[in-house]
Amino acid sequence: METLVHDNMMEGGVAAAEDRRTIQWSSVFAGAFAAGAMSFILVGFGVAIGLGVSSASPTWRDASVALALLSGLYLIIQAIISFGVGGYIAGRTARPAPALATIEDDAERRDGLHGLTSWALAVLIGAALLAIIGAAAIDRSPMRGSSGNASSAEPLLSYELDKLFRAPRRPPADMREARAEAGRILMTSSSHSGVALDDRNYLVQQVTALTGLAAADSERRVDALIADARTAINRARRNSVIVAFSVAAAALIGASVAWAAAVAGGRHRDGEPLPNWMASSNRLHRSPRATPVP
Protein backbone atom coordinates (compact mmCIF):
# COMPACT_ATOMS: atom_id res chain seq x y z
CA MET A 1 0.00 0.00 0.00
CA GLU A 2 2.78 2.45 0.87
CA THR A 3 4.53 1.69 -2.41
CA LEU A 4 1.33 2.32 -4.40
CA VAL A 5 0.64 5.63 -2.64
CA HIS A 6 4.24 6.70 -3.09
CA ASP A 7 4.12 5.89 -6.81
CA ASN A 8 0.86 7.82 -7.25
CA MET A 9 2.31 10.84 -5.47
CA MET A 10 5.41 10.73 -7.66
CA GLU A 11 3.37 10.44 -10.85
CA GLY A 12 1.08 13.25 -9.72
CA GLY A 13 4.04 15.46 -8.91
CA VAL A 14 5.63 14.85 -12.32
CA ALA A 15 2.33 15.55 -14.08
CA ALA A 16 1.83 18.74 -12.10
CA ALA A 17 5.35 19.90 -12.90
CA GLU A 18 4.75 19.22 -16.59
CA ASP A 19 1.45 21.14 -16.45
CA ARG A 20 3.25 24.12 -14.99
CA ARG A 21 5.68 24.14 -17.88
CA THR A 22 3.14 23.49 -20.66
CA ILE A 23 1.90 26.33 -22.86
CA GLN A 24 -1.83 26.12 -23.51
CA TRP A 25 -2.03 27.09 -27.14
CA SER A 26 -5.78 27.58 -27.18
CA SER A 27 -5.38 30.47 -24.72
CA VAL A 28 -2.40 31.81 -26.65
CA PHE A 29 -4.33 31.86 -29.93
CA ALA A 30 -7.35 33.44 -28.24
CA GLY A 31 -5.19 36.25 -26.85
CA ALA A 32 -3.37 36.79 -30.16
CA PHE A 33 -6.60 36.98 -32.17
CA ALA A 34 -8.15 39.35 -29.63
CA ALA A 35 -5.09 41.60 -29.78
CA GLY A 36 -5.17 41.61 -33.58
CA ALA A 37 -8.87 42.45 -33.70
CA MET A 38 -8.53 45.27 -31.18
CA SER A 39 -5.51 46.64 -33.04
CA PHE A 40 -7.44 46.63 -36.33
CA ILE A 41 -10.30 48.56 -34.73
CA LEU A 42 -8.05 51.16 -33.11
CA VAL A 43 -5.96 51.66 -36.25
CA GLY A 44 -9.19 52.16 -38.18
CA PHE A 45 -10.28 54.86 -35.74
CA GLY A 46 -6.86 56.49 -36.02
CA VAL A 47 -7.03 56.59 -39.81
CA ALA A 48 -10.56 58.02 -39.62
CA ILE A 49 -9.42 60.98 -37.51
CA GLY A 50 -6.36 61.60 -39.66
CA LEU A 51 -3.68 59.85 -37.62
CA GLY A 52 -1.35 57.40 -39.30
CA VAL A 53 2.37 56.81 -39.35
CA SER A 54 2.26 56.31 -43.11
CA SER A 55 -0.01 57.06 -46.01
CA ALA A 56 -0.18 56.49 -49.74
CA SER A 57 -1.26 60.09 -50.25
CA PRO A 58 1.39 62.40 -51.75
CA THR A 59 0.47 65.06 -49.17
CA TRP A 60 1.68 62.84 -46.29
CA ARG A 61 5.29 63.68 -47.07
CA ASP A 62 4.45 67.33 -46.34
CA ALA A 63 3.01 66.53 -42.91
CA SER A 64 4.43 68.43 -39.99
CA VAL A 65 6.70 66.89 -37.39
CA ALA A 66 3.96 67.32 -34.78
CA LEU A 67 1.52 65.23 -36.82
CA ALA A 68 4.10 62.51 -37.39
CA LEU A 69 4.96 62.39 -33.67
CA LEU A 70 1.29 62.37 -32.69
CA SER A 71 0.67 59.51 -35.10
CA GLY A 72 3.56 57.57 -33.61
CA LEU A 73 2.24 58.20 -30.09
CA TYR A 74 -1.18 56.93 -31.12
CA LEU A 75 0.44 53.79 -32.53
CA ILE A 76 2.08 53.15 -29.15
CA ILE A 77 -1.18 53.78 -27.28
CA GLN A 78 -3.15 51.40 -29.49
CA ALA A 79 -0.46 48.75 -29.01
CA ILE A 80 -0.76 49.11 -25.23
CA ILE A 81 -4.54 48.68 -25.37
CA SER A 82 -4.49 45.86 -27.93
CA PHE A 83 -1.78 43.77 -26.30
CA GLY A 84 -3.27 44.46 -22.89
CA VAL A 85 -6.58 42.99 -24.01
CA GLY A 86 -4.88 40.03 -25.70
CA GLY A 87 -2.63 39.31 -22.72
CA TYR A 88 -5.53 39.50 -20.26
CA ILE A 89 -7.59 37.04 -22.31
CA ALA A 90 -4.62 34.68 -22.61
CA GLY A 91 -4.09 34.68 -18.84
CA ARG A 92 -7.77 34.55 -17.95
CA THR A 93 -8.61 31.62 -20.24
CA ALA A 94 -5.56 29.51 -19.32
CA ARG A 95 -6.22 26.58 -16.99
CA PRO A 96 -5.32 27.22 -13.34
CA ALA A 97 -2.02 25.95 -12.09
CA PRO A 98 -2.05 22.49 -10.46
CA ALA A 99 -2.59 22.15 -6.74
CA LEU A 100 1.11 21.49 -6.18
CA ALA A 101 2.03 24.81 -7.80
CA THR A 102 1.70 26.88 -4.64
CA ILE A 103 4.58 29.24 -5.31
CA GLU A 104 3.23 32.67 -6.25
CA ASP A 105 6.14 33.57 -8.51
CA ASP A 106 5.73 30.31 -10.42
CA ALA A 107 2.05 31.00 -11.09
CA GLU A 108 2.80 34.56 -12.23
CA ARG A 109 5.55 33.32 -14.50
CA ARG A 110 3.23 30.73 -16.01
CA ASP A 111 0.48 33.26 -16.76
CA GLY A 112 2.97 35.87 -17.94
CA LEU A 113 4.48 33.44 -20.43
CA HIS A 114 1.04 32.85 -21.91
CA GLY A 115 0.62 36.60 -22.40
CA LEU A 116 4.10 36.97 -23.85
CA THR A 117 3.55 34.09 -26.26
CA SER A 118 0.23 35.56 -27.43
CA TRP A 119 2.05 38.88 -27.99
CA ALA A 120 4.72 37.17 -30.09
CA LEU A 121 2.13 35.31 -32.14
CA ALA A 122 0.13 38.50 -32.76
CA VAL A 123 3.28 40.34 -33.89
CA LEU A 124 4.25 37.54 -36.27
CA ILE A 125 0.74 37.34 -37.74
CA GLY A 126 0.67 41.12 -38.24
CA ALA A 127 4.10 41.11 -39.89
CA ALA A 128 3.07 38.28 -42.21
CA LEU A 129 -0.11 40.10 -43.25
CA LEU A 130 1.81 43.30 -43.92
CA ALA A 131 4.33 41.37 -46.04
CA ILE A 132 1.54 39.74 -48.05
CA ILE A 133 -0.26 43.04 -48.60
CA GLY A 134 2.99 44.74 -49.60
CA ALA A 135 3.87 41.99 -52.06
CA ALA A 136 0.40 42.15 -53.60
CA ALA A 137 0.65 45.94 -53.95
CA ILE A 138 4.00 45.63 -55.71
CA ASP A 139 2.70 42.96 -58.09
CA ARG A 140 -0.27 45.15 -59.05
CA SER A 141 1.78 48.29 -59.45
CA PRO A 142 1.89 49.67 -63.00
CA MET A 143 5.65 50.07 -62.59
CA ARG A 144 5.98 46.30 -62.29
CA GLY A 145 5.41 45.71 -65.99
CA SER A 146 8.10 48.20 -66.99
CA SER A 147 10.71 47.50 -64.34
CA GLY A 148 13.48 48.18 -66.82
CA ASN A 149 12.44 51.82 -67.08
CA ALA A 150 11.17 52.17 -63.52
CA SER A 151 12.85 54.06 -60.73
CA SER A 152 12.49 54.01 -56.98
CA ALA A 153 12.08 57.79 -57.17
CA GLU A 154 8.78 57.58 -59.04
CA PRO A 155 6.47 57.05 -56.02
CA LEU A 156 8.29 59.67 -53.95
CA LEU A 157 9.06 62.32 -56.55
CA SER A 158 6.21 61.78 -59.00
CA TYR A 159 4.92 65.34 -58.57
CA GLU A 160 8.39 66.84 -59.07
CA LEU A 161 8.85 64.75 -62.21
CA ASP A 162 5.48 65.94 -63.51
CA LYS A 163 6.55 69.56 -63.03
CA LEU A 164 9.96 68.90 -64.54
CA PHE A 165 8.57 67.76 -67.90
CA ARG A 166 5.42 69.89 -67.91
CA ALA A 167 4.98 71.63 -71.25
CA PRO A 168 2.20 73.43 -73.15
CA ARG A 169 2.74 71.22 -76.15
CA ARG A 170 2.03 67.51 -76.11
CA PRO A 171 5.11 65.56 -74.87
CA PRO A 172 6.28 62.30 -76.43
CA ALA A 173 3.98 59.33 -75.89
CA ASP A 174 6.44 57.32 -73.80
CA MET A 175 8.11 59.33 -71.04
CA ARG A 176 8.92 56.42 -68.75
CA GLU A 177 12.60 56.20 -69.61
CA ALA A 178 13.14 59.95 -69.31
CA ARG A 179 11.23 60.15 -66.02
CA ALA A 180 13.14 57.19 -64.57
CA GLU A 181 16.49 58.68 -65.51
CA ALA A 182 15.54 62.10 -64.16
CA GLY A 183 14.23 60.50 -60.97
CA ARG A 184 17.51 58.73 -60.35
CA ILE A 185 19.34 62.03 -60.79
CA LEU A 186 17.00 63.89 -58.43
CA MET A 187 17.48 61.20 -55.79
CA THR A 188 21.12 62.27 -55.51
CA SER A 189 20.01 65.74 -54.39
CA SER A 190 19.84 64.56 -50.75
CA SER A 191 23.46 63.40 -50.75
CA HIS A 192 26.27 65.41 -49.16
CA SER A 193 27.56 66.61 -52.51
CA GLY A 194 24.14 67.09 -54.09
CA VAL A 195 23.44 66.76 -57.80
CA ALA A 196 26.61 66.74 -59.86
CA LEU A 197 27.14 69.59 -62.32
CA ASP A 198 27.13 67.32 -65.37
CA ASP A 199 23.88 65.67 -64.18
CA ARG A 200 22.30 69.10 -63.75
CA ASN A 201 23.36 70.17 -67.23
CA TYR A 202 21.98 66.92 -68.64
CA LEU A 203 18.62 67.54 -66.97
CA VAL A 204 18.54 71.05 -68.44
CA GLN A 205 19.16 69.60 -71.90
CA GLN A 206 16.43 66.99 -71.43
CA VAL A 207 13.90 69.56 -70.25
CA THR A 208 14.72 71.87 -73.15
CA ALA A 209 14.40 69.05 -75.69
CA LEU A 210 11.20 67.53 -74.32
CA THR A 211 9.29 70.68 -73.32
CA GLY A 212 10.50 73.27 -75.82
CA LEU A 213 11.40 75.78 -73.11
CA ALA A 214 14.26 78.21 -73.49
CA ALA A 215 17.57 77.26 -71.94
CA ALA A 216 17.29 79.90 -69.21
CA ASP A 217 13.78 78.77 -68.26
CA SER A 218 14.90 75.15 -68.21
CA GLU A 219 17.78 76.01 -65.87
CA ARG A 220 15.49 77.80 -63.43
CA ARG A 221 13.02 74.90 -63.47
CA VAL A 222 15.72 72.30 -62.89
CA ASP A 223 17.29 74.26 -60.02
CA ALA A 224 13.92 74.77 -58.33
CA LEU A 225 12.95 71.12 -58.64
CA ILE A 226 16.32 69.93 -57.34
CA ALA A 227 15.66 71.96 -54.18
CA ASP A 228 12.08 70.61 -53.96
CA ALA A 229 13.32 67.05 -54.38
CA ARG A 230 15.88 67.50 -51.59
CA THR A 231 13.14 68.76 -49.24
CA ALA A 232 10.78 65.91 -50.14
CA ILE A 233 13.46 63.27 -49.62
CA ASN A 234 14.48 64.69 -46.25
CA ARG A 235 10.87 64.75 -45.07
CA ALA A 236 10.33 61.20 -46.24
CA ARG A 237 13.47 60.10 -44.40
CA ARG A 238 12.25 61.84 -41.24
CA ASN A 239 8.86 60.14 -41.45
CA SER A 240 10.53 56.78 -42.01
CA VAL A 241 12.59 57.21 -38.84
CA ILE A 242 9.46 58.08 -36.88
CA VAL A 243 7.65 55.04 -38.31
CA ALA A 244 10.49 52.67 -37.44
CA PHE A 245 10.93 54.04 -33.92
CA SER A 246 7.18 54.00 -33.23
CA VAL A 247 6.78 50.43 -34.41
CA ALA A 248 9.75 49.23 -32.36
CA ALA A 249 8.63 51.11 -29.23
CA ALA A 250 5.05 49.86 -29.61
CA ALA A 251 6.25 46.26 -29.94
CA LEU A 252 8.54 46.42 -26.92
CA ILE A 253 6.02 48.18 -24.71
CA GLY A 254 3.34 45.77 -25.90
CA ALA A 255 5.40 42.82 -24.68
CA SER A 256 5.54 44.23 -21.14
CA VAL A 257 1.86 45.11 -21.19
CA ALA A 258 0.91 41.62 -22.42
CA TRP A 259 2.90 40.01 -19.59
CA ALA A 260 1.32 42.23 -16.90
CA ALA A 261 -2.19 41.84 -18.33
CA ALA A 262 -1.82 38.06 -18.44
CA VAL A 263 -0.74 38.02 -14.80
CA ALA A 264 -3.78 40.13 -13.90
CA GLY A 265 -6.04 37.83 -15.89
CA GLY A 266 -4.65 34.77 -14.14
CA ARG A 267 -5.18 36.37 -10.73
CA HIS A 268 -8.78 37.26 -11.55
CA ARG A 269 -9.33 33.73 -12.85
CA ASP A 270 -8.13 32.26 -9.54
CA GLY A 271 -10.13 34.76 -7.45
CA GLU A 272 -7.02 36.30 -5.95
CA PRO A 273 -5.91 39.92 -5.58
CA LEU A 274 -3.31 41.30 -7.90
CA PRO A 275 0.37 40.93 -6.93
CA ASN A 276 2.15 43.57 -4.89
CA TRP A 277 3.80 45.20 -7.92
CA MET A 278 0.29 45.82 -9.28
CA ALA A 279 -1.16 46.89 -5.92
CA SER A 280 -2.48 50.16 -7.31
CA SER A 281 -4.95 48.18 -9.41
CA ASN A 282 -6.25 46.00 -6.59
CA ARG A 283 -9.26 48.26 -6.17
CA LEU A 284 -10.61 46.81 -9.42
CA HIS A 285 -10.65 43.34 -7.93
CA ARG A 286 -14.12 42.10 -7.02
CA SER A 287 -13.37 38.69 -5.52
CA PRO A 288 -11.00 39.04 -2.56
CA ARG A 289 -9.06 36.03 -1.47
CA ALA A 290 -10.89 33.99 1.17
CA THR A 291 -9.19 34.20 4.55
CA PRO A 292 -8.63 30.72 5.98
CA VAL A 293 -10.40 30.05 9.29
CA PRO A 294 -7.91 28.98 11.97
Side-chain angles (χ1 to χ4, degrees), residues 35-45 78 82:
M38 181 61 67
S39 178
F40 177 80
I41 294 173
L42 293 178
V43 169
F45 276 122
Q78 70 86 20
S82 301

Side-chain angles (χ1 to χ4, degrees), residues 102-120:
T102 57
I103 302 177
E104 181 178 348
D105 292 342
D106 189 57
E108 289 185 12
R109 188 180 303 111
R110 181 175 180 272
D111 294 329
L113 286 176
H114 279 81
L116 191 62
T117 307
S118 67
W119 162 83

